[in-house]
């Protein structure tokens, strides 16, 4: 049984950190399983890579069509690659196709949604769906995303999407809530250590506008 946390309202909230602990405890010891790790940026991936590298053979998959400014997008790609070169030479890197038009089309009708609303959930799905398709194509054992490290991202929705995609495609989803156990704090420390560019918005034009208000 996976541990759950009571919300006090009669509902039970799943503890995704404990689900991750259980998965890690049952991984084969003789050979590392392969993991396709969707990364939103270098800073968010820093702790996740530090945490998971001992358990998996990791490929970072950089797929973020929500970053519609090409200069910003390229800056984040280069920072992701620089982090891997500096701190994780055994980690592989794979850049997805840059498709900002997909995000713009997906966002139509949801432009005024608040951060964390329907538009964000659709964005989670867009990026995670592309990740599992690539994981299936390339024969990875697991897939997951760094997005849950952010205190502004809904880990329950992320994990629900991951579970649904696992059932659809047959690639194991690595449940996680990477902000737990001071993961977010550690990502800030690692960002300072490696002098990573740490943006103040998620990447989409809507979050940027709200930061500028």
């Amino acid at each position: 049984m996976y541990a759950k946390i009571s919300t006090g309202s009669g509902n039970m909230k799943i503890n995704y950190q404990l689900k991750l602990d259980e998965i890690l405890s049952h991984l084969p010891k003789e050979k590392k399983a392969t993991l396709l790790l969707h990364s939103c940026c270098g800073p968010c991936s820093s702790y996740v890579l530090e945490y998971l590298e001992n358990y998996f053979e990791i490929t970072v998959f950089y797929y973020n069509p929500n970053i519609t400014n090409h200069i910003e997008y390229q800056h984040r790609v280069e920072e992701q690659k620089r982090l891997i070169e500096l701190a994780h030479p055994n980690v592989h890197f794979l850049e997805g196709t840059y498709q900002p038009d997909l995000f713009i089309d997906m966002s139509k009708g949801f432009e005024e949604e608040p951060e964390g609303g329907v538009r964000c959930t659709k964005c989670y799905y867009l990026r995670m769906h592309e990740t599992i398709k690539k994981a299936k194509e390339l024969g990875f054992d697991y897939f997951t995303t760094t997005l849950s490290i952010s205190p502004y991202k809904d880990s329950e929705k992320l994990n629900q999407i991951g579970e649904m995609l696992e059932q659809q495609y047959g690639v194991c989803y690595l449940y996680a809530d990477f902000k737990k156990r001071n993961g977010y704090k550690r990502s800030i420390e690692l960002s300072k250590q490696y002098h990573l560019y740490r943006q103040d918005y998620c990447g989409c034009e809507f979050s940027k506008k709200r930061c500028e208000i």
Side-chain angles (χ1 to χ4, degrees):
M1 292 288 290
Y2 293 121
K4 297 183 179 181
I5 300 171
S6 173
T7 63
S9 61
N11 297 322
M12 300 297 287
K13 186 175 181 180
I14 296 172
N15 186 323
Y16 291 107
Q17 175 61 55
L18 293 185
K19 289 194 75 166
L20 174 58
D21 289 344
E22 183 167 343
I23 293 171
L24 296 181
S25 72
H26 288 91
L27 289 174
K29 300 292 191 294
E30 60 278 5
K31 183 181 179 181
K32 288 183 179 179
T34 55
L35 170 67
L36 188 62
L37 173 66
H38 166 261
S39 175
C40 54
C41 63
C44 286
S45 73
S46 60
Y47 165 73
V48 179
L49 289 173
E50 180 182 72
Y51 182 15
L52 296 181
E53 192 172 13
N54 289 332
Y55 297 98
F56 294 97
E57 180 182 341
I58 301 174
T59 296
V60 168
F61 182 52
Y62 193 87
Y63 178 75
N64 297 292
N66 57 308
I67 307 172
T68 52
N69 182 301
H70 186 264
I71 295 174
E72 177 73 16
Y73 172 85
Q74 199 58 46
H75 191 178
R76 296 193 194 193
V77 170
E78 294 306 317
E79 284 295 271
Q80 180 70 76
K81 293 194 288 189
R82 187 170 70 86
L83 172 66
I84 292 171
E85 291 170 1
L86 285 173
H88 305 282
N90 294 322
V91 168
H92 311 288
F93 176 79
L94 176 63
E95 183 179 354
T97 305
Y98 182 45
Q99 300 171 306
D101 288 347
L102 280 183
F103 175 78
I104 293 169
D105 289 344
M106 180 216 76
S107 301
K108 288 178 180 177
F110 300 96
E111 294 87 349
E112 301 305 317
E113 279 285 308
E115 288 299 293
V118 174
R119 187 187 63 251
C120 290
T121 302
K122 289 169 70 69
C123 183
Y124 300 162
Y125 179 84
L126 177 66
R127 291 186 274 176
M128 293 175 72
H129 187 222
E130 186 66 19
T131 304
I132 196 170
K133 286 197 301 180
K134 186 62 66 173
K136 180 78 171 181
E137 174 191 338
L138 298 177
F140 280 83
D141 299 314
Y142 286 86
F143 83 103
T144 196
T145 178
T146 63
L147 286 167
S148 69
I149 198 168
S150 169
Y152 304 106
K153 299 292 188 290
D154 190 324
S155 61
E156 187 167 6
K157 288 180 182 176
L158 287 164
N159 283 283
Q160 288 172 349
I161 292 169
E163 182 175 31
M164 178 181 64
L165 290 171
E166 175 185 323
Q167 293 170 357
Q168 182 179 353
Y169 284 87
V171 180
C172 293
Y173 173 66
L174 189 67
Y175 293 88
D177 188 356
F178 290 119
K179 70 179 71 64
K180 299 294 187 181
R181 297 180 183 166
N182 292 317
Y184 179 66
K185 178 182 177 182
R186 179 59 178 158
S187 74
I188 294 173
E189 295 170 351
L190 289 167
S191 296
K192 291 178 180 177
Q193 179 179 335
Y194 294 109
H195 307 288
L196 297 175
Y197 164 60
R198 193 174 183 91
Q199 63 285 344
D200 57 3
Y201 68 104
C202 82
C204 81
E205 57 187 86
F206 307 107
S207 63
K208 184 177 183 180
K209 286 178 183 176
R210 284 170 173 78
C211 287
E212 292 172 346
I213 294 174

